[in-house]
């Protein structure tokens, strides 16, 4: 039976979560658990004038990851995919222990993709990097506390804004693990999804400021048929929360329409989005506990694309990033036979999404 996630110490995490369940052999790609053999492959590829695209993931692969891998295969001869649930980007009270881990299904998806890629004029997945936490963090179990010890990469003030306001260690963990992955793989190109827009801005800044010799490529957000942005955490939603959670993309789309209609001021762009969020929440609150899905809006932001500073007026030559985050609360009461998602509706789920307001001609 599912139990609510309790924070794990880093030591228990090491013990519990670093061993994929299936064998590491007989795939169409090589699976690396350690750095030196992967470096040897990378050196051989370089000497053969091959190009490498790296797609960093935490596993639980969905169509968003697959589309990034396709993009990487179209632009490189060899694709490396990393699968590593990175402990340092989870705060002490966050969902590290309950984060979905689906190694066998992930490997099956990658195998299937490689079969497809094999028949076309493009690159293929050559390597999966699935390191242990000890490989990635050789010196210390690094802390997930904000002022804890460890060798970290911090990109401020970007990391303190938006997602960083409620997840203070998140981007430190992301930047740190990506720096490690970039150093290990030395990819020609690295691939990230627009869905995690702030992450893309932080990574681009890190690559620029540390003179990392790689190109950051951003793939479009992949969406379900109803418009929900794909995310590994969506498995926890279930039907009721998933339907109510569409409020986020609806609100962002209202703001986008206002911009496309020529509005440039913050109020003119965001007021419609705020009304949608308010009205949807009021509607849910009016339903009974067995029917409703309550949520909390963390932010709806209209920000500069490079600095993520909130803007009062959009510079039409630059455009802006519209983004938002909500938390779907656990279901208060569930009905027999209801699809409440993995965890039976008891896990709160943070949803993020964004739309890029392109510069106007
Ligand atoms: O986007 C993710 O899945 C993670 O933040 C990343 C980039 C793989 C780093 O752990």
């Amino acid at each position: 039976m599912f139990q609510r996630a309790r924070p794990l110490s880093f030591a228990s995490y090491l013990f519990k979560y670093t061993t994929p369940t299936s064998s590491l052999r007989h795939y169409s790609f090589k699976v690396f658990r350690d750095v030196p053999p992967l470096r040897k492959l990378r050196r051989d590829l370089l000497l053969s004038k091959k190009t490498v695209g790296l797609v960093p993931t935490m596993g639980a692969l969905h169509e968003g990851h697959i589309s990034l891998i396709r993009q990487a295969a179209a632009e490189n001869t060899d694709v490396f995919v990393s699968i590593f649930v990175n402990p340092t980007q989870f705060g002490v009270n966050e969902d590290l222990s309950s984060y979905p881990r689906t190694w066998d299904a992930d490997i099956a998806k990658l195998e299937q993709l490689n079969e497809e890629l094999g028949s076309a004029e493009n690159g293929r997945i050559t390597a999966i990097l699935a390191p242990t936490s000890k490989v990635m963090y050789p010196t210390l179990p690094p802390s997930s506390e904000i002022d804890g010890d460890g060798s970290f990469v911090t990109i401020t003030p970007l990391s303190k804004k938006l997602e960083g306001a409620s997840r203070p260690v998140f981007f430190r963990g992301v930047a740190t693990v990506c720096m490690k992955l970039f150093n290990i793989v030395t990819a020609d190109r690295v691939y990230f999804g627009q869905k995690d827009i702030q992450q893309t801005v932080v990574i681009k800044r890190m690559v620029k400021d540390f003179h990392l010799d790689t190109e950051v490529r951003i793939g479009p957000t992949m969406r379900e048929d109803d418009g929900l942005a794909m995310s590994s955490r969506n498995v926890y939603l279930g039907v009721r929360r998933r339907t109510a959670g569409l409020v986020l993309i609806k609100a962002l789309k209202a703001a986008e329409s206002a911009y496309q209609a020529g509005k440039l001021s913050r109020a003119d762009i965001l007021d419609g989005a705020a009304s949608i969020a308010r009205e949807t929440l009021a509607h849910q609150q009016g339903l009974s506990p067995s029917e409703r899905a309550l949520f909390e809006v963390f932010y709806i932001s209209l920000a500069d694309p490079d600095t993520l500073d909130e803007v009062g007026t959009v510079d039409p030559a630059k455009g802006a990033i519209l983004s938002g985050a909500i938390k779907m609360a656990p279901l208060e009461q569930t009905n027999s036979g209801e699809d409440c998602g993995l965890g039976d509706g008891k896990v709160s789920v943070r949803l993020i999404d964004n739309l890029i307001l392109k510069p106007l001609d």
Side-chain angles (χ1 to χ4, degrees), residues 93-161:
N93 292 316
E94 287 180 1
D95 59 348
L96 171 63
S97 57
S98 66
Y99 193 84
R101 288 167 176 81
T102 55
W103 173 260
D104 293 330
D106 291 348
I107 291 298
K109 283 182 187 159
L110 296 176
E111 278 288 25
Q112 195 191 333
L113 180 56
N114 242 2
E115 264 176 44
E116 283 172 38
L117 292 172
S119 57
E121 283 292 300
N122 47 26
R124 301 184 82 216
I125 306 164
T126 314
I128 308 298
L129 173 58
T132 61
S133 288
K134 180 70 183 152
V135 164
M136 290 304 275
Y137 292 94
T139 308
L140 294 169
S143 171
S144 280
E145 304 280 350
I146 187 65
D147 54 357
D149 291 328
S151 304
F152 295 122
V153 178
T154 53
I155 311 289
T156 56
L158 286 178
S159 297
K160 295 182 179 165
K161 296 169 192 279

Side-chain angles (χ1 to χ4, degrees), residues 78-347:
D78 290 80
V79 180
F80 286 22
V81 178
S82 63
I83 298 182
F84 178 64
V85 182
N86 173 37
T88 61
Q89 68 192 71
F90 292 79
V92 280
N93 292 316
E94 287 180 1
D95 59 348
L96 171 63
S97 57
S98 66
Y99 193 84
R101 288 167 176 81
T102 55
W103 173 260
D104 293 330
D106 291 348
I107 291 298
K109 283 182 187 159
L110 296 176
E111 278 288 25
Q112 195 191 333
L113 180 56
N114 242 2
E115 264 176 44
E116 283 172 38
L117 292 172
S119 57
E121 283 292 300
N122 47 26
R124 301 184 82 216
I125 306 164
T126 314
I128 308 298
L129 173 58
T132 61
S133 288
K134 180 70 183 152
V135 164
M136 290 304 275
Y137 292 94
T139 308
L140 294 169
S143 171
S144 280
E145 304 280 350
I146 187 65
D147 54 357
D149 291 328
S151 304
F152 295 122
V153 178
T154 53
I155 311 289
T156 56
L158 286 178
S159 297
K160 295 182 179 165
K161 296 169 192 279
L162 302 173
E163 286 299 288
S166 39
R167 306 186 67 191
V169 300
F170 178 66
F171 290 109
R172 180 183 72 178
V174 169
T176 300
V177 81
C178 285
M179 178 67 96
K180 289 166 187 269
L181 292 168
F182 294 3
N183 283 335
I184 292 167
V185 177
T186 61
D188 296 278
R189 298 176 190 86
V190 291
Y191 292 81
F192 292 86
Q194 186 197 315
K195 151 87 182 356
D196 298 303
I197 189 95
Q198 188 174 1
Q199 174 168 277
T200 68
V201 176
V202 167
I203 295 295
K204 281 198 247 170
R205 177 70 63 83
M206 179 178 89
V207 164
K208 177 178 168 202
D209 284 355
F210 287 92
H211 299 279
L212 301 181
D213 190 14
T214 194
E215 184 188 344
V216 181
R217 307 280 291 142
I218 312 298
T221 303
M222 300 307 284
R223 297 186 180 279
E224 306 287 356
D225 290 344
D226 58 10
L228 185 74
M230 289 187 182
S231 160
S232 302
R233 290 187 171 98
N234 289 353
V235 291
Y236 292 109
L237 283 173
V239 175
R240 207 192 317 168
R241 290 194 296 173
R242 190 200 156 93
T243 309
L246 290 173
V247 61
L248 181 54
I249 185 60
K250 286 183 187 153
L252 294 178
K253 276 193 179 295
E256 180 190 49
S257 300
Y259 176 70
Q260 284 166 347
K263 310 283 188 210
L264 294 176
S265 86
R266 183 177 185 83
D268 285 346
I269 293 174
L270 290 185
D271 279 358
S275 308
I276 288 181
R278 220 176 18 251
E279 284 159 20
T280 309
L281 184 58
H283 172 71
Q284 291 295 325
Q285 283 165 335
L287 298 173
S288 71
S290 65
E291 291 172 312
R292 68 189 176 198
L294 298 179
F295 60 88
E296 182 185 343
V297 178
F298 284 111
Y299 60 83
I300 295 185
S301 154
L302 180 68
D304 178 280
D306 302 317
T307 63
L308 296 181
D309 287 335
E310 294 300 313
V311 294
T313 308
V314 178
D315 173 353
K318 220 174 169 193
I321 292 174
L322 260 176
S323 64
I326 63 175
K327 182 169 82 178
M328 301 306 300
L331 292 176
E332 298 153 279
Q333 200 176 312
T334 59
N335 305 299
S336 93
E338 184 180 3
D339 169 8
C340 301
L342 192 64
D344 214 15
K346 295 191 179 71
V347 186

